[in-house]
Amino acid sequence: MDFQDYLVPGKTGLLIGIGGVSMSPLAEVLHGAGLDIRGSDMCESDNTLTLRERGIPIHIGHSAANVTDDIEFVIRTAAVHDDNPEVHEAHRRGIPVFERTQAWGALMRGYPNALCISGTHGKTTTTSMCTHIMMAAEKDPTVMIGGTLPLLHACHRVGKGNTIIMESCEYYNSFLSLNPTIAVILNIEADHLDFFKDIEDIKHSFRLFAERVPAETGTVIANCDDANTMDALRGIERKVITFGLSPKADVYAENIVHRGSSSEFDIYHRGNLFSHVTIHVPGIHNVRNALAATAAAIVLGVSPNAVKYGLAGFEGAGRRFDYKGKFQGADLYDDYAHHPSELRALLNAVDTLDYQRTIVVFQPHTYSRTAKLFNDFVEQLRRPTIVYLAEIYAAREKNTIGISSADLAAQIPGAKFYPTFAEIEAELRRIARPGDIILTVGAGDVFRIGEHLLHPADSKD
């Protein structure tokens, strides 16, 4: 069953969870291609209101009645399971049900340039950098990002150009439904071990992703500083362009100078100076992300000036070292880091800044990740001046392991575990002062702590 067979003007489809970050742009693209698109979601949102304005009818609430007689296919998000009444009804009627990545994969075939950015870390930032570069080059791309990009005031855009840029996630092998012409692999580490067996299983998945680019015309862009990435790609029969921090890479950086939260450096392509750039996000990991974005731009034939100005205009994506404001004289930032390596990169970046104290509020994400990477989390969380731990964010899991953030706190000198956000907020109110950086960190809802501190009157708590 191939979604390509349903990518036909006039076909009628129902998108379940249509207000989601990757479903709402999908609805727009399908609607723009002449399909008759309907949708459903649990609640109204800015995305559903925008789609209504585009002429797409949306049901609020899930019901078998939403699967009307004229529906020819259904698309669901990963969060919608077989027990959803609309999925159940579609199966009962014999209506095909597709995952959203299957639909995106089919749509990609219509773009001469399909740039897919993958990796354990850095996907959102690098996809955002690529977007800035392609916008500076006036390529009018279609974009799908896993976080809000201020340039777009959204996490997506629907363009009329011949390029699609998509953040591509390995979880549940969802990126294996995509059809990239350019596949970027930023790094490969042990993560999502509730799905993958081990690091070898993860490397195998990334190898399959890289092999999805066309053998004759496609390009794989790989981090030559990352041993797992290079091991996964060993002997691959595809064109490979590497990026990294040494001249052994095809695209590399020299003369790196860090100034506060900015970095400037020269980018070389195969020994020749390509551009001198400045990025306004901290850390050596973001230099690597910029190199990956530049390598993609080179493959796409983008000018050095577009790379220079595109990167200069990028000041971060939503929830990626995201400055929220001043609280009692302290600088308050929010970051999505939820893996020990992401924590390390974040803290390394903060170490280069001139703060007297680093205060981290960390909310672990999923019980399985916390248990399997426990010692690595402890190692990184021993670094800040002060650490407050919120309870683990369950996401899709149940706590069958019997683990708590209190277990982490017990292994981190001076760390404190608080069962509620209110208790953490009270502690921050008590201790925050000028010279501090406060970081709310994690992939769950820990960002609400900062929002409540800065805007208590707006809180719905």
Side-chain angles (χ1 to χ4, degrees):
M1 188 170 62
D2 190 338
F3 186 73
Q4 195 76 35
D5 298 334
Y6 295 84
L7 195 52
V8 178
K11 288 281 188 182
T12 303
L14 175 71
L15 273 61
I16 307 175
I18 197 169
V21 293
S22 64
M23 290 290 273
S24 52
L26 176 61
E28 282 196 50
V29 173
L30 293 174
H31 178 71
L35 282 76
D36 181 3
I37 298 301
R38 294 65 173 302
S40 67
D41 215 315
M42 283 298 293
C43 55
E44 204 75 76
S45 66
D46 289 344
N47 286 344
T48 58
L49 292 172
T50 299
L51 293 173
R52 287 184 197 280
E53 290 172 3
R54 303 275 195 275
I56 297 173
I58 296 171
H59 305 281
I60 298 303
H62 296 304
S63 165
N66 296 340
V67 185
T68 51
D69 291 342
D70 55 347
I71 296 294
E72 295 172 88
F73 66 87
V74 169
I75 303 173
R76 63 177 172 183
T77 67
V80 173
H81 303 296
D82 285 350
D83 58 359
N84 176 280
E86 292 158 12
V87 173
H88 185 270
E89 179 65 10
H91 284 153
R92 189 187 72 79
R93 292 179 178 227
I95 299 169
V97 178
F98 297 95
E99 303 292 334
R100 60 179 171 77
T101 50
Q102 291 176 289
W104 276 118
L107 281 164
M108 272 181 185
R109 294 180 187 139
Y111 289 86
N113 302 315
L115 171 58
C116 294
I117 293 93
S118 75
T120 310
H121 322 295
K123 292 186 292 293
T124 297
T125 295
T126 307
T127 308
S128 299
M129 288 177 169
C130 289
T131 300
H132 267 261
I133 290 168
M134 296 302 284
M135 294 287 280
E138 300 182 342
K139 299 296 186 182
D140 195 14
T142 293
V143 178
M144 180 59 240
I145 311 176
T148 299
L149 182 59
L151 174 71
L152 307 181
H153 303 290
C155 57
H156 70 276
R157 82 184 294 271
V158 179
K160 293 183 169 59
N162 65 3
T163 301
I164 184 168
I165 306 169
M166 176 163 286
E167 180 173 336
S168 308
C169 183
E170 74 275 17
Y171 189 50
Y172 275 101
N173 283 329
S174 63
F175 62 178
L176 299 185
S177 295
L178 303 178
N179 293 294
T181 61
I182 304 169
V184 178
I185 302 179
L186 299 169
N187 41 62
I188 301 174
E189 287 197 45
D191 197 15
H192 300 304
L193 294 171
D194 57 325
F195 173 71
F196 294 109
K197 293 193 291 289
D198 52 27
I199 187 64
E200 293 305 317
D201 190 24
I202 297 169
K203 286 194 286 187
H204 176 66
S205 184
F206 275 92
R207 170 71 173 231
L208 293 176
F209 171 67
E211 288 176 340
R212 292 192 68 77
V213 305
E216 299 299 323
T217 58
T219 304
V220 179
I221 295 172
N223 179 0
C224 73
D225 297 336
D226 184 66
N228 285 334
T229 297
M230 299 314 291
D231 186 39
L233 297 177
R234 185 170 289 116
I236 193 169
E237 295 181 355
R238 297 292 187 278
K239 181 181 179 182
V240 177
I241 290 177
T242 59
F243 66 91
L245 298 180
S246 75
K248 71 178 182 180
D250 294 310
V251 179
Y252 60 95
E254 286 197 345
N255 307 315
I256 302 170
V257 178
H258 301 292
R259 291 190 173 91
S261 61
S262 298
S263 300
E264 62 177 89
F265 49 96
D266 294 321
I267 298 179
Y268 282 79
H269 178 219
R270 293 178 177 157
N272 299 309
L273 179 64
F274 180 76
S275 186
H276 179 82
V277 304
T278 300
I279 58 172
H280 299 291
V281 283
I284 198 70
H285 63 293
N286 278 318
V287 173
R288 281 196 178 91
N289 291 338
L291 290 171
T294 301
I298 289 170
V299 173
L300 289 166
V302 171
S303 71
N305 263 353
V307 171
K308 180 185 182 73
Y309 291 114
L311 289 175
F314 175 67
E315 296 185 349
R319 301 218 61 210
R320 274 71 179 176
F321 201 66
D322 192 358
Y323 178 68
K324 309 304 288 187
K326 288 274 189 185
F327 175 70
Q328 294 179 188
D331 287 341
L332 199 158
Y333 285 81
D334 180 65
D335 197 275
Y336 195 72
H338 57 289
H339 185 280
S341 293
E342 293 167 347
L343 270 173
R344 182 177 65 245
L346 172 64
L347 295 172
N348 285 350
V350 171
D351 285 347
T352 68
L353 308 178
D354 191 24
Y355 288 102
Q356 295 170 14
R357 299 192 301 177
T358 299
I359 302 169
V360 169
V361 179
F362 183 61
Q363 179 189 45
H365 189 263
T366 72
Y367 306 110
S368 61
R369 181 183 285 114
T370 307
K372 289 175 180 175
L373 303 175
F374 187 90
N375 291 335
D376 296 325
F377 278 119
V378 168
E379 180 183 355
Q380 296 306 318
L381 290 168
R382 284 177 170 172
R383 295 175 56 186
T385 318
I386 297 170
V387 172
Y388 297 139
L389 287 156
E391 190 50 280
I392 297 167
Y393 188 82
R396 53 194 170 262
E397 296 183 348
K398 297 190 186 306
N399 192 4
T400 57
I401 303 167
I403 193 170
S404 165
S405 291
D407 300 317
L408 284 171
Q411 300 299 317
I412 302 165
K416 295 180 181 176
F417 163 67
Y418 292 102
T420 68
F421 284 0
E423 292 168 279
I424 294 174
E425 289 173 21
E427 273 296 288
L428 292 172
R429 287 191 182 93
R430 185 179 68 81
I431 69 162
R433 67 189 188 208
D436 291 343
I437 182 172
I438 300 171
L439 297 159
T440 56
V441 183
D445 59 353
V446 67
F447 65 90
R448 297 187 186 282
I449 290 175
E451 288 184 351
H452 196 202
L453 289 173
L454 294 170
H455 310 289
D458 297 338
S459 174
K460 296 177 183 177
D461 297 342

